[in-house]
Amino acid sequence: MFTIDAHLDLSMNALEWNRDLRLPVSAINEREKGLNDKPDRAKSVVSLPELRKGQVGLVVATQIARYVAPDNHLPGWHSPEQAWAQTQGQVAWYKAMEEAGEMVQIHDLDSLNKHIGLWESNVPDEVKPIGYILSLEGADSIVTVDHLQRAYDYGLRAVGPAHYGPGRYAQGTDATGLMGPKGHELLREIERLNIILDATHLCDDSFWEALDHFNGHVWASHNNCRALVNHNRQYSDEQIKALIARGAVIGLALDAWMMVPNWVRGTSTPEGMHCNLEVMVDHLDHICQIVGNTLHIGVGSDLDGAFGREQCPYDIETIADLQKIPELLEKRGYSKQDVQNMMHGNWLRFLRNAWGG
């Protein structure tokens, strides 16, 4: 089944992990054997051939670069200008993939409909380009609000104002506090440009402030449920209801610590914690029960988002295994239409609405 994944850090993997994503996952992992600079070396699950194999024909693909103030001990750049430069390198990689025929940027209704038509055609999947919608995860790299227009001009269509910790425009996961005037200015520019606001990673204070000050289109590209795993990274039932009231779609993430409670990084294992795709369906089902329908959920896997097989469901060998989800949903009693909604239909409806379809 054609599938949309609303959160993949492809350029980060290509440039910071030095992975040639045109290769099969097996070849990427073979080359990484013996490396230990990252915890997920030789455990990758994402590559462009595996996306095609799994009919994941459209993704939301990120730029990401954090600025850190002198008292912030998270990894990151020491100036917004450095962070901006990193995101420009990431854009250059996406453009190189376009030139190689591997990917195609989706940035408006015409390009979206054309791409969906291609993936619905009889052209063999293995030669179809992967469509990508460019998203910025954390807005620290937007040096001034005027830079957002530049980013829009090269195709940026979604922005999450914060990532982990305190940010220049909003406060993120594990932080607290409001967005303030500078964040409000960013929100106004996001709204003016009709960029999608990604509420993912906003701390509770900034989350509610953003919804109060933003009148455009909102989604949550990769979030799970606080009722099932109690952490500020997750959404409370109240936040889920507020997002749904705004017409949002929420993408379910496959990072194991977000899926099962009491995960200990570097110690827990997916098998030991009984973390499989059924657990994702638990989170998905929780949202459906709150909402009363299947119109506001999708996949936002975050696979290879600085973790690999050591920290994702044990029944995923590669991202192509997202194709196991429809059968799991049908076993839970969801109809074929429900499954189509969740695998691609809800994201398509959201995008067509946001882009004037």
Side-chain angles (χ1 to χ4, degrees):
M1 180 179 292
F2 180 74
T3 299
I4 296 174
D5 189 329
H7 189 82
L8 290 176
D9 295 310
L10 298 180
S11 65
M12 183 189 80
N13 274 272
L15 299 186
E16 293 184 55
W17 269 246
N18 195 13
R19 288 170 170 166
D20 184 354
L21 297 183
R22 298 171 299 176
L23 299 176
V25 159
S26 58
I28 293 172
N29 289 334
E30 180 65 28
R31 190 161 188 177
E32 292 185 357
K33 283 184 177 178
L35 298 180
N36 58 15
D37 60 315
K38 310 278 189 186
D40 59 330
R41 285 299 187 194
K43 301 181 184 75
S44 165
V45 302
V46 177
S47 74
L48 298 175
E50 293 298 330
L51 287 169
R52 293 187 183 94
K53 182 179 177 182
Q55 292 187 294
V56 187
L58 179 60
V59 304
V60 179
T62 66
Q63 301 170 279
I64 181 169
R66 181 189 294 113
Y67 161 74
V68 291
D71 59 348
N72 185 342
H73 301 294
L74 289 169
W77 296 104
H78 292 176
S79 73
E81 290 81 3
Q82 289 169 278
W84 171 264
Q86 183 177 17
T87 65
Q88 300 316 288
Q90 293 166 348
V91 170
W93 179 79
Y94 288 119
K95 296 301 183 185
M97 290 300 97
E98 290 187 63
E99 291 173 7
E102 295 280 352
M103 301 182 74
V104 61
Q105 189 182 80
I106 308 303
H107 56 269
D108 60 15
L109 190 61
D110 287 344
S111 58
L112 176 66
N113 289 336
K114 180 180 178 181
H115 186 67
I116 298 304
L118 174 63
W119 271 86
E120 290 176 343
S121 74
N122 293 325
V123 175
D125 288 352
E126 57 267 23
V127 300
K128 294 172 182 173
I130 301 299
Y132 77 99
I133 298 165
L134 190 62
S135 178
L136 180 63
E137 186 172 24
D140 287 354
S141 61
I142 301 298
V143 180
T144 70
V145 169
D146 291 341
H147 282 67
L148 196 60
Q149 178 71 62
R150 300 191 208 177
Y152 179 86
D153 291 343
Y154 62 64
L156 184 68
R157 292 297 181 268
V159 171
H163 190 225
Y164 275 81
R168 296 179 62 232
Y169 295 100
Q171 315 314 315
T173 299
D174 292 333
T176 58
L178 299 172
M179 299 181 71
K182 195 171 182 179
H184 297 176
E185 185 183 5
L186 180 74
L187 291 176
R188 287 193 295 272
E189 187 68 355
I190 292 172
E191 186 174 333
R192 183 186 75 83
L193 292 168
N194 194 33
I195 292 174
I196 297 159
L197 175 66
D198 189 347
T200 304
H201 279 295
L202 289 171
C203 77
D204 288 2
D205 297 328
S206 289
F207 173 91
W208 293 112
E209 187 178 16
L211 291 192
D212 284 345
H213 287 83
F214 183 75
N215 300 306
H217 302 282
V218 183
W219 69 21
S221 61
H222 57 304
N223 258 98
N224 292 349
C225 304
R226 195 175 297 182
L228 302 184
V229 178
N230 187 16
H231 189 277
N232 68 79
R233 169 70 177 84
Q234 314 276 68
Y235 282 144
S236 68
D237 289 359
E238 185 182 11
Q239 288 171 307
I240 291 168
K241 291 174 183 176
L243 286 168
I244 301 314
R246 294 289 294 268
V249 177
I250 300 170
L252 277 297
L254 293 176
D255 193 341
W257 81 266
M258 296 173 61
M259 300 175 69
V260 294
N262 304 314
W263 181 274
V264 179
R265 291 178 185 269
T267 300
S268 299
T269 65
E271 292 83 359
M273 299 296 285
H274 308 291
C275 181
N276 57 19
L277 285 169
E278 288 276 11
V279 179
M280 175 197 176
V281 179
D282 292 340
H283 284 265
L284 181 152
D285 189 64
H286 181 79
I287 296 173
C288 288
Q289 297 305 320
I290 290 174
V291 180
N293 59 52
T294 61
L295 299 176
H296 295 278
I297 19 194
V299 175
S301 75
D302 200 16
L303 289 171
D304 286 354
F307 65 95
R309 291 198 63 212
E310 83 288 354
Q311 196 172 297
C312 74
Y314 63 71
D315 44 357
I316 285 189
E317 296 281 342
T318 79
I319 196 167
D321 289 321
L322 294 181
Q323 287 302 322
K324 295 178 179 179
I325 296 173
E327 182 179 357
L328 297 177
L329 292 171
E330 289 177 7
K331 285 182 178 178
R332 295 281 186 107
Y334 287 102
S335 70
K336 290 189 181 299
Q337 183 60 59
D338 291 332
V339 174
Q340 290 177 5
N341 290 343
M342 295 187 241
M343 298 304 287
H344 62 261
N346 292 334
W347 293 121
L348 286 179
R349 186 190 69 252
F350 181 99
L351 288 165
R352 284 169 172 153
N353 180 53
W355 292 345

